Amino acid sequence: MKLFAVFSALFIAANAVPFIRQLDEPFAGKTWVVLAASANGWGNYGMQADVYHAYQVIKAHGIPDENIIVMHYDDLAKNERNPTPGVIVNRKGGPDVYKGVPKDYTGKDVTPQNFLAILRGDEKLAKAGKKVVKSGPNDRIFVYLDDHGSEGYVVFPNDKLMAQDLTDTLVAMHKDNKYKELVFYLAACYAGSMFDKILPNNINAYAMSATLPDELAVQFAVAWLNDSEHHDLTKETIKTQYDYIAHAFTDQHAQQYGDLSINAEHLSTYMGEKQVPSVGQYSQPANSVPIPDAPIYLAQLLLRNRELMDKQIEEYVNSLSGIEANVVLNSKLQINNKECYHKLVDTFHDKCYNLGQNSYAIQKMKVLGNICHSSDADVNTFNQLLTKYCDTIVKPNANII
């Protein structure tokens, strides 16, 4: 009996060592990375540049190309406005971040459907020769999406990714043992609304959003990329990076959602553990909006187009009966009728202005949300009037960014 007890103690001790050390040792699985910029056009230069920059950081830290999937419209390098054809930079005087970036999904393939299919390892895409995440129960997944957004969705060039569709995909992936843990970084206006009160905390998924559910985003990418380039990712935790980003600005507030225990892990688990020399000088991001260098007449055209859209939305609201136009146009009310809101947003997108091409329109969608403040809003009437109005208005030739 005593001999058995000694043997048992030795067995437990021997097996306890790897259990204790697994927090510090590499996990028995792969790391998959999905990087996506869902906006296109020269006016959205920064979004694709952020994703290119993220690719260079993660590749440098040791994640192999076979485990990285990049989605980007790819219309900047050869753009007629590009003063350095074939070169994309993401900071003044910085290196070319475009060189070597994979072209896994470009142009018309930049869709929310493909984005979700990539994550779940869609077999049809794989059979068509497209890269997808072929993950299993021991693998980690890191996702970075740089996008325009509004309450409950983010936009792609010709479509929208709804918060519920994203959550449903993550839940299904967890159920199908597609990952051990998943980390999702979202840089978009209203980014928090994609996860707030939606993302479960029991599916081993953690999300960091650039903003609160009702805030505009500016420099989330600047912060996390800057931080990742200047620290040892094998020692810095996700929480440490979150704390840095959350306090980097005064006009936007990063948030955390889902399984917050994951933020105790080191960044290297999701971004690579290879040691990389610090790049340039480490500096605190400024609270300012980066403005592309553009001729004055383009800025004037932009303002005129925005004023036109403002006027058109105001005219539509004033045509509705049974609502307080001033409140609808100048407030931020609770959306109590989501069916109404989604129907109006869809009609506006289909009939009035493509939200993926006219990013200024995204900021105005709160007006449609205010129209749907009442749970008994007259959905059909409001939608019919919007359809009719959209068919009659004059739209600018240029996109309203």
Side-chain angles (χ1 to χ4, degrees), residues 128-179:
K130 305 294 285 185
K131 284 179 71 175
V132 296
V133 175
K134 298 180 180 179
S135 56
N138 293 320
D139 295 345
R140 264 76 166 191
I141 302 175
F142 175 67
V143 185
Y144 173 57
L145 176 60
D146 204 317
D147 206 340
H148 284 299
S150 189
E151 189 165 345
Y153 66 89
V154 292
V155 296
F156 281 62
N158 294 295
D159 207 343
K160 304 182 298 299
L161 172 63
M162 308 302 295
Q164 194 61 56
D165 292 338
L166 174 59
T167 297
D168 289 346
T169 296
L170 299 182
V171 169
M173 290 170 63
H174 178 258
K175 182 179 179 181
D176 294 339
N177 292 315
K178 292 288 188 178
Y179 62 84

Side-chain angles (χ1 to χ4, degrees), residues 33-306:
V33 176
V34 178
L35 307 173
S38 66
N40 63 341
W42 190 253
N44 293 314
Y45 182 105
M47 293 187 177
Q48 291 188 72
D50 287 341
V51 164
Y52 299 156
H53 191 172
Y55 167 78
Q56 301 298 346
V57 170
I58 287 171
K59 179 68 182 295
H61 280 90
I63 303 295
D65 271 339
E66 63 187 38
N67 286 9
I68 304 174
I69 301 172
V70 185
M71 172 180 278
H72 56 113
Y73 209 83
D74 197 24
D75 59 349
L76 301 182
K78 297 181 180 179
N79 194 291
E80 61 182 9
R81 298 185 187 179
N82 190 349
T84 56
V87 174
I88 303 296
V89 298
N90 201 33
R91 58 171 172 259
K92 186 176 181 179
D96 176 15
V97 294
Y98 181 70
K99 185 177 181 180
V101 173
K103 299 185 179 185
D104 300 313
Y105 294 81
T106 61
K108 62 181 178 60
D109 288 334
V110 179
T111 68
Q113 293 79 19
N114 279 342
F115 176 74
L116 296 179
I118 291 168
L119 294 180
R120 63 175 181 263
D122 186 81
E123 292 184 3
K124 289 184 179 179
L125 280 181
K127 288 180 180 178
K130 305 294 285 185
K131 284 179 71 175
V132 296
V133 175
K134 298 180 180 179
S135 56
N138 293 320
D139 295 345
R140 264 76 166 191
I141 302 175
F142 175 67
V143 185
Y144 173 57
L145 176 60
D146 204 317
D147 206 340
H148 284 299
S150 189
E151 189 165 345
Y153 66 89
V154 292
V155 296
F156 281 62
N158 294 295
D159 207 343
K160 304 182 298 299
L161 172 63
M162 308 302 295
Q164 194 61 56
D165 292 338
L166 174 59
T167 297
D168 289 346
T169 296
L170 299 182
V171 169
M173 290 170 63
H174 178 258
K175 182 179 179 181
D176 294 339
N177 292 315
K178 292 288 188 178
Y179 62 84
K180 183 177 180 64
E181 291 171 340
L182 181 146
V183 170
F184 198 118
Y185 280 18
L186 176 59
C189 294
Y190 301 91
S193 70
M194 292 294 289
F195 307 109
D196 186 49
K197 300 180 179 65
I198 301 175
L199 181 66
N201 61 9
N202 61 351
I203 62 169
N204 299 343
Y206 166 91
M208 189 190 303
S209 69
T211 71
L212 288 162
D214 59 353
E215 282 183 326
L216 300 181
V218 182
Q219 297 191 68
F220 177 80
V222 174
W224 84 263
L225 290 169
N226 184 34
D227 187 67
S228 296
E229 286 185 312
H230 291 86
H231 289 91
D232 183 345
L233 302 189
T234 64
K235 296 179 179 178
E236 183 173 5
T237 65
I238 296 172
K239 184 180 186 303
T240 302
Q241 185 162 90
Y242 166 75
D243 288 340
Y244 163 68
I245 296 171
H247 296 94
F249 313 102
T250 58
D251 53 355
Q252 67 183 72
H253 304 84
Q255 298 293 300
Q256 302 179 98
Y257 300 98
D259 184 352
L260 301 189
S261 69
I262 293 175
N263 74 10
E265 296 187 6
H266 292 120
L267 291 167
S268 57
T269 303
Y270 300 92
M271 302 179 192
E273 57 187 23
K274 182 179 178 181
Q275 296 297 305
V276 178
S278 208
V279 178
Q281 184 177 359
Y282 186 63
S283 59
Q284 184 81 356
N287 283 297
S288 60
V289 178
I291 303 174
D293 293 329
I296 296 299
Y297 80 89
L298 285 177
Q300 293 173 335
L301 175 63
L302 167 64
L303 292 175
R304 286 198 298 270
N305 288 342
R306 288 186 170 196

